[in-house]
Amino acid sequence: DIVMTQSPDSLAVSLGERATINCKSSQSVLHSSTNQNHLAWFQKKPGQPPKLFIYGASTRESGVPDRFSGSGSGTDFTLTISSLQAEDVAVYYCQQYHSLPRTFGQGTKVEIK
Amino acid sequence: QVQVVQSGAEVRKPGASVKVSCKASGYTFTDYHIHWVRQAPGQGLEWMGCINANSGATAYAQKFQGRVTMTRDTSITTAYMELSRLTSDDTAVYYCAREDWYFRFWGQGTLVAVSS
């Protein structure tokens, strides 16, 4: 199984400041058939289903604000919120869809400082 | 438009089983896999398994092998997840999601509470 490890577990950032979340996979999620990193980021708020924010490690889902960006390749990935807004308070999860079983990181809770 | 609608909340006693449904619409049901993910209170997201809506082939997380059964009824474009021998640790919100490689479309979630 591919183990996904996020850091930090939580972070508090002032409004308008940058938030950075890291995700490391135990093996490469670069898929040979698509030549893409099979890595997604989700936003999870209480009482709501997870919402896809980023796929292919760096492609923003339609409707996601451009202050969110994803980067990385192979085993190391980053989700960046360039200017934190109040509505961004949530838990963020990375997930690999390279192979079964699909696995998620443990989540990173983002709060306002 | 793609919609994925799950059945309502359930309460079960320990040792019982529960079957959650996931009704899909707005696309060709048999063109996509359906996955199941759960989130226990205060915990993260946990992948349980998936079903090929066309062939009915399944793949389950090792943790749930022998206790989970995923099925589908193509005539009513609905997928099901049945979990047996429930314990309090199975209290969680259960989600289904359509696979587009990644999980773009999710059901609203079904709370399953296990309590004596």
Side-chain angles (χ1 to χ4, degrees):
Chain A
D1 298 5
I2 298 178
V3 177
M4 308 299 291
T5 304
Q6 291 180 229
S7 62
D9 290 334
S10 65
L11 75 161
V13 176
S14 300
L15 287 172
E17 295 301 305
R18 178 184 298 262
T20 301
I21 302 169
N22 299 300
C23 174
K24 188 173 184 67
S25 57
S26 61
Q27 55 189 274
S28 175
V29 298
L30 181 62
H31 205 281
S32 56
S33 68
T34 63
N35 200 34
Q36 291 192 351
N37 289 283
H38 283 200
L39 188 284
W41 289 96
F42 294 90
Q43 180 192 67
K44 181 69 172 69
K45 293 183 176 182
Q48 298 181 20
K51 182 179 180 182
L52 177 68
F53 261 43
I54 301 280
Y55 60 91
S58 60
T59 302
R60 233 178 354 260
E61 174 69 336
S62 176
V64 171
D66 61 8
R67 62 181 179 274
F68 289 87
S69 63
S71 63
S73 185
T75 61
D76 291 278
F77 302 92
T78 300
L79 176 69
T80 302
I81 310 172
S82 61
S83 175
L84 190 74
Q85 303 300 305
E87 60 265 32
D88 302 335
V89 169
V91 179
Y92 293 85
Y93 293 89
C94 62
Q95 184 226 5
Q96 64 81 18
Y97 50 97
H98 177 277
S99 59
L100 293 177
R102 300 286 193 255
T103 45
F104 292 88
Q106 79 275 20
T108 296
K109 187 174 186 178
V110 174
E111 300 173 304
I112 305 294
K113 185 187 292 183
Chain B
Q1 71 286 13
V2 175
Q3 284 195 306
V4 182
V5 179
Q6 298 182 221
S7 48
E10 304 271 13
V11 180
R12 293 287 186 273
K13 293 190 182 305
S17 298
V18 69
K19 191 171 185 177
V20 179
S21 69
C22 173
K23 166 74 175 174
S25 60
Y27 70 95
T28 301
F29 180 70
T30 50
D31 281 352
Y32 297 86
H33 291 47
I34 294 289
H35 292 245
W36 291 88
V37 174
R38 77 177 186 179
Q39 184 175 37
Q43 303 300 307
L45 299 172
E46 181 175 33
W47 183 82
M48 299 181 67
C50 62
I51 183 167
N52 180 323
N54 184 36
S55 67
T58 56
Y60 302 139
Q62 189 169 9
K63 175 177 179 176
F64 301 102
Q65 287 276 1
R67 216 162 59 91
V68 70
T69 304
M70 295 178 187
T71 57
R72 92 288 187 228
D73 185 335
T74 58
S75 69
I76 55 171
T77 65
T78 299
Y80 302 92
M81 187 283 299
E82 184 170 22
L83 191 62
S84 63
R85 303 194 300 276
L86 293 169
T87 73
S88 57
D89 290 343
D90 295 313
T91 293
V93 178
Y94 291 75
Y95 297 98
C96 62
R98 189 188 91 168
E99 178 188 341
D100 298 52
W101 282 106
Y102 35 83
F103 300 160
R104 172 174 276 153
F105 298 103
W106 294 71
Q108 80 276 20
T110 297
L111 174 63
V112 175
V114 183
S115 174
S116 54

